[in-house]
Amino acid sequence: MTKILIVSEIQNGAIREATYELVAIAQSMGGEISSLVVGGDAASDAEQMSQKGGGTVYVANDAALANYNQDAYYAAVNAAVDAVGPDLVLFSHTSAGWDVAPRIAAKLDAGIVTDCFGIAEEGGNFSFSRRIFNGKMEQKVVSSGGPVVATVQAGAVDAFDGSSEGSVTELSVTIGDTRTTFIENKSPEAQGVDLTKSDVIIAGGRSVGSPEKFEEVINPLAGILGGAVGASRPVVDAGWLPHECQVGSTGQIVAPKLYIAAGISGAIQHTAGMKGSNFIIAINKDADAPIFEVADLGVVGDLFEVVPALTKALEAAKG
Ligand SMILES: Cc1cc2nc3c(=O)[nH]c(=O)nc-3n(C[C@H](O)[C@H](O)[C@H](O)COP(=O)(O)OP(=O)(O)OC[C@H]3O[C@@H](n4cnc5c(N)ncnc54)[C@H](O)[C@@H]3O)c2cc1C
């Protein structure tokens, strides 16, 4: 039977939703599931994991694991790998996941497939689905012999929400000197936008082009609809808008009544943050853009024509 090891992540004192997405993938493959939970005191998280599909849960409690540190985290995953002897090791495709996964692959002399959105068993091997070229194409990668290490995009599948009876086993981990020391977690200073409280969000993507174009094209539509301005990650990375405007797996998770995505491709990391919106309108000049898969209404067109026309029509309707 295929042995799958899930490496969980704790954030703000609770197991991340993305970990339960790994559980959903593992459960769908029907293998023998084990999980690793690490933390300063992760006993209750481990218990929860064992009841929510995590199978045999190994828990590593150590003050050095209270905050993410690559060497300490690696030591724990390493011990879990030795205990389980997995055919497949699953990490979330997060900063921690992509930091440690390659090191574990090197230790196991295993192949690694990153940033997957689906995994299945195929003729005794694993088949991994990934998006490439900015989501324009899908790639299928098939392993030839194990073990294999994979990282999975957050939001790629629905989180497992069933229940199960697993077990919790204490894992002994030796953490030696670490090359880095945790100092503090710092949150960016809020600049007044709380997208999670907005009923209407007008989000612009990289193709808007500049902060001035946001002011000129996106902001007026948000103004007339009484909505807030959101953005995809490249917009925030470029410094055009503050981080609290970012929607997606590493930004805000929003569910407004109306979400308008203008010039946003619809990468999984973005849709993970907005697909729960009540009504989604997508404007994109590429008819094959993945954003149309989650849209209730799609407009294939140039945002610089469609958005101002929509704003003008709303202004006229409002008098
Ligand atoms: C770990 C990780 C976390 C991430 N987290 C997030 C996240 O939280 N949020 C997020 O958004 N992304 C996130 N990303 C990035 C994500 O993968 C995509 O790269 C990003 O969402 C793409 O942004 P975009 O759609 O604005 O840009 P692009 O992918 O460049 O797409 C631009 C789109 O605009 C369209 N377009 C171009 N010109 C026009 C025009 N004139 N009119 C209409 N349409 C036009 C194009 O057809 C295209 O579809 C993350 C990535 C990683 C690896």
Side-chain angles (χ1 to χ4, degrees):
M1 203 178 202
T2 306
K3 290 184 179 172
I4 304 174
L5 173 64
I6 297 167
V7 179
S8 71
E9 267 184 58
I10 294 179
Q11 192 179 43
N12 300 328
I15 291 183
R16 290 182 73 152
E17 185 84 348
T19 293
Y20 289 114
E21 293 164 12
L22 300 181
V23 172
I25 287 177
Q27 290 281 348
S28 73
M29 292 169 68
E32 190 182 314
I33 300 173
S34 303
S35 305
L36 170 68
V37 176
V38 302
D41 177 10
S44 64
D45 294 305
E47 196 54 46
Q48 192 191 0
M49 188 76 183
S50 75
Q51 289 162 15
K52 287 188 75 179
T56 304
V57 178
Y58 291 88
V59 59
N61 287 310
D62 193 302
L65 294 165
N67 291 290
Y68 179 74
N69 175 302
Q70 203 223 42
D71 290 321
Y73 203 78
Y74 169 76
V77 182
N78 204 359
V81 163
D82 287 344
V84 175
D87 302 295
L88 177 65
V89 186
L90 294 179
F91 290 85
S92 300
H93 192 71
T94 54
S95 332
W98 73 37
D99 198 29
V100 175
R103 211 170 150 188
I104 289 295
K107 169 215 154 68
L108 287 170
D109 198 16
I112 179 165
V113 189
T114 57
D115 211 4
C116 309
F117 68 86
I119 305 176
E121 246 187 310
E122 202 174 279
N125 287 312
F126 300 109
S127 138
F128 303 87
S129 308
R130 325 171 58 232
R131 288 212 166 84
I132 55 173
F133 299 122
N134 262 338
K136 288 190 173 53
M137 295 179 82
E138 281 183 18
Q139 182 186 56
K140 186 169 150 186
V141 179
V142 180
S143 64
S144 50
V148 189
V149 176
T151 67
V152 179
Q153 288 182 357
V157 299
D158 290 336
F160 183 75
D161 69 350
S163 58
S164 65
E165 276 198 24
S167 60
V168 177
T169 304
E170 195 77 38
L171 187 69
S172 137
V173 183
T174 310
I175 301 171
D177 289 343
T178 57
R179 288 168 297 176
T180 53
T181 308
F182 171 81
I183 297 174
E184 65 173 324
N185 278 321
K186 247 183 161 175
S187 302
E189 268 175 41
Q191 293 181 25
V193 189
D194 187 355
L195 288 187
T196 60
K197 294 202 169 71
S198 303
D199 280 345
V200 176
I201 296 173
I202 323 299
R206 192 202 312 261
S207 52
V208 175
S210 66
E212 292 76 26
K213 287 286 173 196
F214 263 89
E215 293 269 342
E216 187 187 321
V217 181
I218 306 293
N219 292 15
L221 181 56
I224 192 105
L225 288 171
V229 173
S232 64
R233 180 164 161 172
V235 170
V236 172
D237 286 350
W240 302 344
L241 289 178
H243 183 258
E244 58 258 46
C245 293
Q246 181 179 320
V247 174
S249 55
T250 47
Q252 305 283 348
I253 307 291
V254 299
K257 289 183 183 152
L258 175 64
Y259 189 92
I260 301 181
I264 292 181
S265 58
I268 281 179
Q269 294 93 346
H270 185 81
T271 57
M274 47 65 82
K275 65 184 176 191
S277 305
N278 199 38
F279 196 84
I280 299 169
I281 301 177
I283 303 161
N284 196 301
K285 64 180 186 184
D286 175 4
D288 294 324
I291 192 74
F292 290 123
E293 289 166 25
V294 296
D296 297 287
L297 183 72
V299 182
V300 179
D302 187 332
L303 76 93
F304 295 106
E305 291 169 15
V306 177
V307 175
L310 188 55
T311 308
K312 211 168 154 196
L314 285 164
E315 277 164 358
K318 279 198 168 179

Short mmCIF file of all heavy atoms in Angstrom, two decimals, residues 248-312:
data_model
loop_
_atom_site.label_atom_id
_atom_site.label_comp_id
_atom_site.label_asym_id
_atom_site.label_seq_id
_atom_site.Cartn_x
_atom_site.Cartn_y
_atom_site.Cartn_z
N GLY A 248 -5.76 36.59 -2.44
CA GLY A 248 -5.18 35.31 -2.83
C GLY A 248 -4.61 34.55 -1.67
O GLY A 248 -4.73 34.96 -0.51
N SER A 249 -3.96 33.46 -2.00
CA SER A 249 -3.48 32.55 -0.95
C SER A 249 -2.46 33.21 -0.04
O SER A 249 -2.34 32.83 1.12
CB SER A 249 -2.90 31.29 -1.58
OG SER A 249 -1.89 31.63 -2.49
N THR A 250 -1.72 34.19 -0.54
CA THR A 250 -0.78 34.90 0.34
C THR A 250 -1.25 36.33 0.59
O THR A 250 -0.47 37.19 0.99
CB THR A 250 0.66 34.90 -0.25
OG1 THR A 250 0.59 35.26 -1.63
CG2 THR A 250 1.29 33.54 -0.13
N GLY A 251 -2.53 36.57 0.33
CA GLY A 251 -3.13 37.88 0.60
C GLY A 251 -4.41 37.67 1.39
O GLY A 251 -4.47 36.83 2.28
N GLN A 252 -5.42 38.45 1.03
CA GLN A 252 -6.70 38.35 1.74
C GLN A 252 -7.58 37.27 1.11
O GLN A 252 -7.58 37.10 -0.11
CB GLN A 252 -7.45 39.68 1.65
CG GLN A 252 -6.69 40.89 2.11
CD GLN A 252 -6.65 40.97 3.61
OE1 GLN A 252 -7.37 40.26 4.32
NE2 GLN A 252 -5.81 41.82 4.14
N ILE A 253 -8.34 36.59 1.96
CA ILE A 253 -9.37 35.66 1.47
C ILE A 253 -10.68 36.43 1.58
O ILE A 253 -11.07 36.83 2.69
CB ILE A 253 -9.45 34.37 2.33
CG1 ILE A 253 -8.07 33.71 2.47
CG2 ILE A 253 -10.50 33.41 1.78
CD1 ILE A 253 -7.50 33.10 1.22
N VAL A 254 -11.32 36.68 0.46
CA VAL A 254 -12.50 37.55 0.48
C VAL A 254 -13.72 36.82 -0.09
O VAL A 254 -13.59 35.87 -0.87
CB VAL A 254 -12.25 38.85 -0.34
CG1 VAL A 254 -11.11 39.65 0.26
CG2 VAL A 254 -11.96 38.54 -1.80
N ALA A 255 -14.89 37.29 0.29
CA ALA A 255 -16.13 36.70 -0.24
C ALA A 255 -17.19 37.80 -0.35
O ALA A 255 -18.24 37.73 0.29
CB ALA A 255 -16.60 35.57 0.68
N PRO A 256 -16.93 38.84 -1.16
CA PRO A 256 -17.90 39.94 -1.26
C PRO A 256 -19.13 39.51 -2.07
O PRO A 256 -19.15 38.46 -2.70
CB PRO A 256 -17.10 41.02 -2.02
CG PRO A 256 -16.16 40.24 -2.87
CD PRO A 256 -15.79 39.02 -2.08
N LYS A 257 -20.12 40.41 -2.10
CA LYS A 257 -21.31 40.13 -2.92
C LYS A 257 -20.93 40.21 -4.39
O LYS A 257 -21.45 39.45 -5.21
CB LYS A 257 -22.41 41.16 -2.61
CG LYS A 257 -23.01 40.96 -1.22
CD LYS A 257 -24.14 41.94 -0.99
CE LYS A 257 -24.67 41.76 0.42
NZ LYS A 257 -25.25 42.99 0.97
N LEU A 258 -20.06 41.17 -4.73
CA LEU A 258 -19.64 41.33 -6.12
C LEU A 258 -18.12 41.47 -6.19
O LEU A 258 -17.54 42.30 -5.49
CB LEU A 258 -20.30 42.59 -6.72
CG LEU A 258 -19.85 42.97 -8.14
CD1 LEU A 258 -20.24 41.90 -9.15
CD2 LEU A 258 -20.45 44.32 -8.55
N TYR A 259 -17.49 40.67 -7.05
CA TYR A 259 -16.04 40.76 -7.26
C TYR A 259 -15.80 40.95 -8.75
O TYR A 259 -16.22 40.13 -9.57
CB TYR A 259 -15.36 39.47 -6.80
CG TYR A 259 -13.84 39.53 -6.78
CD1 TYR A 259 -13.18 39.92 -5.62
CD2 TYR A 259 -13.09 39.21 -7.90
CE1 TYR A 259 -11.79 39.99 -5.58
CE2 TYR A 259 -11.70 39.28 -7.87
CZ TYR A 259 -11.06 39.66 -6.71
OH TYR A 259 -9.68 39.74 -6.66
N ILE A 260 -15.19 42.07 -9.10
CA ILE A 260 -14.87 42.31 -10.51
C ILE A 260 -13.36 42.17 -10.69
O ILE A 260 -12.59 42.86 -10.02
CB ILE A 260 -15.34 43.71 -10.97
CG1 ILE A 260 -16.86 43.84 -10.77
CG2 ILE A 260 -14.98 43.94 -12.45
CD1 ILE A 260 -17.46 45.17 -11.23
N ALA A 261 -12.95 41.23 -11.53
CA ALA A 261 -11.51 41.00 -11.78
C ALA A 261 -11.18 41.57 -13.14
O ALA A 261 -11.64 41.05 -14.16
CB ALA A 261 -11.21 39.51 -11.73
N ALA A 262 -10.39 42.63 -13.17
CA ALA A 262 -10.05 43.27 -14.43
C ALA A 262 -8.59 42.99 -14.79
O ALA A 262 -7.68 43.38 -14.05
CB ALA A 262 -10.28 44.77 -14.33
N GLY A 263 -8.37 42.28 -15.88
CA GLY A 263 -7.01 41.98 -16.32
C GLY A 263 -6.26 41.11 -15.35
O GLY A 263 -5.07 41.29 -15.13
N ILE A 264 -6.98 40.14 -14.77
CA ILE A 264 -6.34 39.17 -13.86
C ILE A 264 -6.47 37.79 -14.51
O ILE A 264 -7.56 37.40 -14.94
CB ILE A 264 -7.04 39.19 -12.48
CG1 ILE A 264 -6.74 40.54 -11.80
CG2 ILE A 264 -6.60 38.02 -11.61
CD1 ILE A 264 -7.33 40.70 -10.42
N SER A 265 -5.35 37.08 -14.58
CA SER A 265 -5.36 35.81 -15.33
C SER A 265 -6.19 34.72 -14.67
O SER A 265 -6.80 33.91 -15.34
CB SER A 265 -3.92 35.32 -15.53
OG SER A 265 -3.30 35.16 -14.27
N GLY A 266 -6.17 34.70 -13.32
CA GLY A 266 -6.93 33.66 -12.61
C GLY A 266 -6.06 32.50 -12.18
O GLY A 266 -6.50 31.36 -12.13
N ALA A 267 -4.80 32.81 -11.82
CA ALA A 267 -3.92 31.77 -11.26
C ALA A 267 -4.57 31.23 -9.98
O ALA A 267 -5.28 31.96 -9.28
CB ALA A 267 -2.56 32.38 -10.92
N ILE A 268 -4.29 29.95 -9.70
CA ILE A 268 -4.92 29.32 -8.53
C ILE A 268 -4.67 30.12 -7.25
O ILE A 268 -5.56 30.27 -6.42
CB ILE A 268 -4.42 27.87 -8.38
CG1 ILE A 268 -5.17 26.99 -9.39
CG2 ILE A 268 -4.64 27.34 -6.97
CD1 ILE A 268 -4.78 25.56 -9.39
N GLN A 269 -3.46 30.69 -7.13
CA GLN A 269 -3.17 31.44 -5.90
C GLN A 269 -4.06 32.66 -5.78
O GLN A 269 -4.32 33.12 -4.68
CB GLN A 269 -1.70 31.89 -5.89
CG GLN A 269 -0.71 30.76 -5.81
CD GLN A 269 -0.23 30.32 -7.17
OE1 GLN A 269 -0.82 30.67 -8.19
NE2 GLN A 269 0.81 29.52 -7.20
N HIS A 270 -4.53 33.19 -6.90
CA HIS A 270 -5.46 34.33 -6.82
C HIS A 270 -6.89 33.83 -6.57
O HIS A 270 -7.56 34.32 -5.66
CB HIS A 270 -5.42 35.17 -8.10
CG HIS A 270 -6.27 36.41 -7.99
ND1 HIS A 270 -5.83 37.55 -7.36
CD2 HIS A 270 -7.55 36.66 -8.36
CE1 HIS A 270 -6.80 38.45 -7.36
NE2 HIS A 270 -7.85 37.94 -7.97
N THR A 271 -7.32 32.83 -7.35
CA THR A 271 -8.72 32.38 -7.19
C THR A 271 -8.95 31.76 -5.81
O THR A 271 -10.06 31.80 -5.30
CB THR A 271 -9.12 31.39 -8.31
OG1 THR A 271 -8.22 30.29 -8.30
CG2 THR A 271 -9.11 32.04 -9.67
N ALA A 272 -7.88 31.24 -5.19
CA ALA A 272 -8.02 30.69 -3.83
C ALA A 272 -8.56 31.75 -2.88
O ALA A 272 -9.20 31.43 -1.89
CB ALA A 272 -6.69 30.18 -3.33
N GLY A 273 -8.30 33.01 -3.20
CA GLY A 273 -8.70 34.08 -2.29
C GLY A 273 -10.03 34.72 -2.63
O GLY A 273 -10.51 35.54 -1.84
N MET A 274 -10.63 34.40 -3.80
CA MET A 274 -11.85 35.11 -4.17
C MET A 274 -12.96 34.23 -4.74
O MET A 274 -14.05 34.71 -5.02
CB MET A 274 -11.54 36.25 -5.16
CG MET A 274 -10.65 35.94 -6.35
SD MET A 274 -11.27 34.76 -7.56
CE MET A 274 -12.32 35.80 -8.56
N LYS A 275 -12.68 32.93 -4.88
CA LYS A 275 -13.68 32.09 -5.55
C LYS A 275 -14.95 31.91 -4.71
O LYS A 275 -15.98 31.48 -5.23
CB LYS A 275 -13.09 30.74 -5.97
CG LYS A 275 -12.66 29.85 -4.84
CD LYS A 275 -12.00 28.59 -5.36
CE LYS A 275 -11.49 27.78 -4.18
NZ LYS A 275 -10.64 26.68 -4.52
N GLY A 276 -14.89 32.27 -3.44
CA GLY A 276 -16.09 32.20 -2.59
C GLY A 276 -16.98 33.43 -2.73
O GLY A 276 -18.01 33.54 -2.05
N SER A 277 -16.62 34.37 -3.61
CA SER A 277 -17.44 35.58 -3.80
C SER A 277 -18.81 35.19 -4.34
O SER A 277 -18.95 34.20 -5.07
CB SER A 277 -16.77 36.53 -4.80
OG SER A 277 -15.46 36.83 -4.38
N ASN A 278 -19.81 36.02 -4.02
CA ASN A 278 -21.17 35.67 -4.42
C ASN A 278 -21.36 35.76 -5.93
O ASN A 278 -21.97 34.88 -6.54
CB ASN A 278 -22.13 36.63 -3.70
CG ASN A 278 -23.52 36.08 -3.67
OD1 ASN A 278 -23.70 34.87 -3.50
ND2 ASN A 278 -24.50 36.94 -3.85
N PHE A 279 -20.84 36.83 -6.54
CA PHE A 279 -20.98 36.99 -7.99
C PHE A 279 -19.67 37.55 -8.53
O PHE A 279 -19.17 38.55 -8.05
CB PHE A 279 -22.14 37.94 -8.31
CG PHE A 279 -22.58 37.84 -9.75
CD1 PHE A 279 -23.49 36.86 -10.15
CD2 PHE A 279 -22.09 38.71 -10.72
CE1 PHE A 279 -23.89 36.75 -11.48
CE2 PHE A 279 -22.48 38.60 -12.05
CZ PHE A 279 -23.39 37.62 -12.43
N ILE A 280 -19.13 36.85 -9.53
CA ILE A 280 -17.80 37.24 -10.05
C ILE A 280 -17.92 37.66 -11.51
O ILE A 280 -18.47 36.92 -12.33
CB ILE A 280 -16.80 36.06 -9.93
CG1 ILE A 280 -16.62 35.66 -8.46
CG2 ILE A 280 -15.45 36.42 -10.57
CD1 ILE A 280 -15.87 34.37 -8.23
N ILE A 281 -17.42 38.85 -11.79
CA ILE A 281 -17.36 39.32 -13.18
C ILE A 281 -15.88 39.39 -13.57
O ILE A 281 -15.08 39.99 -12.85
CB ILE A 281 -18.00 40.71 -13.36
CG1 ILE A 281 -19.48 40.67 -12.91
CG2 ILE A 281 -17.88 41.19 -14.81
CD1 ILE A 281 -20.18 42.02 -12.98
N ALA A 282 -15.53 38.73 -14.67
CA ALA A 282 -14.14 38.77 -15.11
C ALA A 282 -14.05 39.51 -16.44
O ALA A 282 -14.86 39.29 -17.35
CB ALA A 282 -13.60 37.35 -15.28
N ILE A 283 -13.07 40.41 -16.53
CA ILE A 283 -12.80 41.14 -17.78
C ILE A 283 -11.37 40.80 -18.18
O ILE A 283 -10.42 41.07 -17.44
CB ILE A 283 -12.93 42.67 -17.57
CG1 ILE A 283 -14.32 43.01 -17.03
CG2 ILE A 283 -12.64 43.42 -18.87
CD1 ILE A 283 -14.42 44.37 -16.37
N ASN A 284 -11.24 40.15 -19.33
CA ASN A 284 -9.90 39.75 -19.76
C ASN A 284 -9.89 39.64 -21.28
O ASN A 284 -10.86 39.19 -21.87
CB ASN A 284 -9.53 38.39 -19.14
CG ASN A 284 -8.05 38.11 -19.23
OD1 ASN A 284 -7.47 38.08 -20.31
ND2 ASN A 284 -7.43 37.92 -18.07
N LYS A 285 -8.81 40.07 -21.89
CA LYS A 285 -8.82 40.04 -23.36
C LYS A 285 -8.46 38.67 -23.93
O LYS A 285 -8.60 38.46 -25.12
CB LYS A 285 -7.97 41.16 -23.95
CG LYS A 285 -6.51 41.13 -23.69
CD LYS A 285 -5.89 42.35 -24.39
CE LYS A 285 -4.38 42.29 -24.29
NZ LYS A 285 -3.73 43.46 -24.84
N ASP A 286 -8.06 37.76 -23.04
CA ASP A 286 -7.77 36.39 -23.48
C ASP A 286 -8.97 35.49 -23.13
O ASP A 286 -9.24 35.24 -21.95
CB ASP A 286 -6.50 35.90 -22.78
CG ASP A 286 -6.18 34.44 -23.08
OD1 ASP A 286 -6.89 33.83 -23.90
OD2 ASP A 286 -5.21 33.92 -22.49
N ALA A 287 -9.68 35.02 -24.14
CA ALA A 287 -10.88 34.21 -23.90
C ALA A 287 -10.57 32.91 -23.16
O ALA A 287 -11.46 32.31 -22.56
CB ALA A 287 -11.55 33.89 -25.24
N ASP A 288 -9.30 32.47 -23.19
CA ASP A 288 -8.93 31.23 -22.52
C ASP A 288 -8.35 31.46 -21.12
O ASP A 288 -7.84 30.52 -20.50
CB ASP A 288 -7.88 30.47 -23.36
CG ASP A 288 -8.46 30.00 -24.69
OD1 ASP A 288 -9.65 29.64 -24.70
OD2 ASP A 288 -7.73 30.03 -25.70
N ALA A 289 -8.40 32.68 -20.63
CA ALA A 289 -7.83 32.95 -19.30
C ALA A 289 -8.56 32.12 -18.24
O ALA A 289 -9.79 32.04 -18.26
CB ALA A 289 -7.94 34.44 -18.98
N PRO A 290 -7.82 31.48 -17.32
CA PRO A 290 -8.44 30.62 -16.31
C PRO A 290 -9.46 31.35 -15.41
O PRO A 290 -10.32 30.71 -14.82
CB PRO A 290 -7.27 30.11 -15.48
CG PRO A 290 -6.04 30.43 -16.23
CD PRO A 290 -6.34 31.48 -17.25
N ILE A 291 -9.38 32.68 -15.32
CA ILE A 291 -10.32 33.42 -14.46
C ILE A 291 -11.77 33.16 -14.90
O ILE A 291 -12.69 33.17 -14.07
CB ILE A 291 -10.01 34.95 -14.48
CG1 ILE A 291 -10.77 35.70 -13.39
CG2 ILE A 291 -10.28 35.59 -15.83
CD1 ILE A 291 -10.27 35.51 -12.01
N PHE A 292 -11.97 32.89 -16.20
CA PHE A 292 -13.34 32.67 -16.68
C PHE A 292 -13.94 31.38 -16.10
O PHE A 292 -15.15 31.22 -16.08
CB PHE A 292 -13.37 32.67 -18.21
CG PHE A 292 -13.14 34.03 -18.82
CD1 PHE A 292 -12.11 34.24 -19.73
CD2 PHE A 292 -13.93 35.11 -18.47
CE1 PHE A 292 -11.88 35.50 -20.27
CE2 PHE A 292 -13.72 36.39 -19.01
CZ PHE A 292 -12.68 36.58 -19.91
N GLU A 293 -13.07 30.46 -15.62
CA GLU A 293 -13.59 29.21 -15.04
C GLU A 293 -14.32 29.46 -13.72
O GLU A 293 -15.17 28.68 -13.32
CB GLU A 293 -12.43 28.22 -14.80
CG GLU A 293 -11.88 27.64 -16.09
CD GLU A 293 -10.55 26.94 -15.89
OE1 GLU A 293 -10.27 26.50 -14.76
OE2 GLU A 293 -9.78 26.87 -16.87
N VAL A 294 -13.97 30.55 -13.03
CA VAL A 294 -14.66 30.81 -11.74
C VAL A 294 -15.65 31.97 -11.87
O VAL A 294 -16.32 32.31 -10.90
CB VAL A 294 -13.66 31.13 -10.59
CG1 VAL A 294 -12.77 29.95 -10.29
CG2 VAL A 294 -12.82 32.35 -10.89
N ALA A 295 -15.73 32.56 -13.08
CA ALA A 295 -16.58 33.76 -13.24
C ALA A 295 -18.04 33.38 -13.48
O ALA A 295 -18.34 32.39 -14.14
CB ALA A 295 -16.06 34.60 -14.40
N ASP A 296 -18.95 34.19 -12.93
CA ASP A 296 -20.37 34.04 -13.25
C ASP A 296 -20.68 34.76 -14.55
O ASP A 296 -21.58 34.39 -15.29
CB ASP A 296 -21.22 34.64 -12.12
CG ASP A 296 -21.00 33.88 -10.82
OD1 ASP A 296 -21.49 32.76 -10.70
OD2 ASP A 296 -20.30 34.41 -9.93
N LEU A 297 -19.92 35.83 -14.79
CA LEU A 297 -20.12 36.61 -16.02
C LEU A 297 -18.74 36.98 -16.55
O LEU A 297 -17.91 37.48 -15.79
CB LEU A 297 -20.91 37.88 -15.67
CG LEU A 297 -21.28 38.78 -16.83
CD1 LEU A 297 -22.36 38.14 -17.68
CD2 LEU A 297 -21.79 40.11 -16.30
N GLY A 298 -18.51 36.70 -17.81
CA GLY A 298 -17.20 37.00 -18.38
C GLY A 298 -17.30 37.98 -19.53
O GLY A 298 -18.20 37.87 -20.36
N VAL A 299 -16.40 38.93 -19.56
CA VAL A 299 -16.35 39.86 -20.69
C VAL A 299 -14.97 39.69 -21.34
O VAL A 299 -13.94 39.93 -20.71
CB VAL A 299 -16.50 41.33 -20.23
CG1 VAL A 299 -16.49 42.27 -21.44
CG2 VAL A 299 -17.76 41.51 -19.40
N VAL A 300 -14.97 39.24 -22.60
CA VAL A 300 -13.70 39.13 -23.30
C VAL A 300 -13.45 40.47 -23.97
O VAL A 300 -14.16 40.86 -24.90
CB VAL A 300 -13.74 37.99 -24.36
CG1 VAL A 300 -12.40 37.91 -25.09
CG2 VAL A 300 -14.06 36.66 -23.70
N GLY A 301 -12.50 41.22 -23.43
CA GLY A 301 -12.27 42.55 -23.97
C GLY A 301 -11.15 43.25 -23.24
O GLY A 301 -10.60 42.74 -22.26
N ASP A 302 -10.84 44.43 -23.74
CA ASP A 302 -9.75 45.24 -23.19
C ASP A 302 -10.27 46.01 -21.97
O ASP A 302 -11.25 46.76 -22.08
CB ASP A 302 -9.28 46.22 -24.29
CG ASP A 302 -8.03 46.98 -23.87
OD1 ASP A 302 -7.83 47.20 -22.65
OD2 ASP A 302 -7.27 47.36 -24.77
N LEU A 303 -9.63 45.81 -20.83
CA LEU A 303 -10.11 46.47 -19.60
C LEU A 303 -10.12 47.98 -19.74
O LEU A 303 -10.95 48.66 -19.11
CB LEU A 303 -9.28 46.02 -18.39
CG LEU A 303 -7.88 46.58 -18.16
CD1 LEU A 303 -7.91 47.80 -17.26
CD2 LEU A 303 -6.98 45.53 -17.59
N PHE A 304 -9.20 48.52 -20.57
CA PHE A 304 -9.13 49.98 -20.71
C PHE A 304 -10.32 50.53 -21.51
O PHE A 304 -10.56 51.73 -21.51
CB PHE A 304 -7.79 50.39 -21.34
CG PHE A 304 -6.62 50.04 -20.45
CD1 PHE A 304 -5.78 48.99 -20.78
CD2 PHE A 304 -6.39 50.74 -19.27
CE1 PHE A 304 -4.72 48.64 -19.95
CE2 PHE A 304 -5.34 50.40 -18.44
CZ PHE A 304 -4.50 49.35 -18.77
N GLU A 305 -11.05 49.63 -22.18
CA GLU A 305 -12.28 50.06 -22.84
C GLU A 305 -13.49 49.67 -21.99
O GLU A 305 -14.41 50.46 -21.79
CB GLU A 305 -12.41 49.38 -24.22
CG GLU A 305 -11.38 49.88 -25.21
CD GLU A 305 -11.34 49.03 -26.48
OE1 GLU A 305 -12.27 48.23 -26.71
OE2 GLU A 305 -10.36 49.17 -27.22
N VAL A 306 -13.47 48.41 -21.48
CA VAL A 306 -14.66 47.88 -20.78
C VAL A 306 -14.91 48.60 -19.44
O VAL A 306 -16.04 48.99 -19.15
CB VAL A 306 -14.52 46.35 -20.56
CG1 VAL A 306 -15.71 45.81 -19.79
CG2 VAL A 306 -14.37 45.63 -21.88
N VAL A 307 -13.84 48.77 -18.65
CA VAL A 307 -14.06 49.34 -17.30
C VAL A 307 -14.55 50.80 -17.37
O VAL A 307 -15.56 51.13 -16.73
CB VAL A 307 -12.79 49.18 -16.42
CG1 VAL A 307 -12.97 49.87 -15.07
CG2 VAL A 307 -12.48 47.70 -16.21
N PRO A 308 -13.91 51.67 -18.17
CA PRO A 308 -14.44 53.04 -18.25
C PRO A 308 -15.87 53.08 -18.81
O PRO A 308 -16.69 53.88 -18.35
CB PRO A 308 -13.47 53.75 -19.20
CG PRO A 308 -12.21 52.97 -19.11
CD PRO A 308 -12.63 51.55 -18.89
N ALA A 309 -16.17 52.18 -19.77
CA ALA A 309 -17.54 52.16 -20.33
C ALA A 309 -18.55 51.77 -19.25
O ALA A 309 -19.64 52.33 -19.16
CB ALA A 309 -17.59 51.19 -21.51
N LEU A 310 -18.15 50.81 -18.42
CA LEU A 310 -19.04 50.36 -17.34
C LEU A 310 -19.24 51.49 -16.32
O LEU A 310 -20.36 51.76 -15.86
CB LEU A 310 -18.39 49.14 -16.67
CG LEU A 310 -19.16 48.36 -15.62
CD1 LEU A 310 -20.51 47.90 -16.16
CD2 LEU A 310 -18.33 47.14 -15.18
N THR A 311 -18.14 52.17 -15.99
CA THR A 311 -18.22 53.29 -15.03
C THR A 311 -19.15 54.37 -15.59
O THR A 311 -20.02 54.90 -14.86
CB THR A 311 -16.80 53.88 -14.80
OG1 THR A 311 -15.92 52.82 -14.47
CG2 THR A 311 -16.80 54.90 -13.68
N LYS A 312 -18.99 54.67 -16.88
CA LYS A 312 -19.79 55.72 -17.51
C LYS A 312 -21.28 55.34 -17.50
O LYS A 312 -22.15 56.16 -17.17
CB LYS A 312 -19.31 55.90 -18.96
CG LYS A 312 -19.47 57.29 -19.48
CD LYS A 312 -18.70 57.44 -20.79
CE LYS A 312 -19.34 58.55 -21.59
NZ LYS A 312 -18.97 58.55 -22.98
#
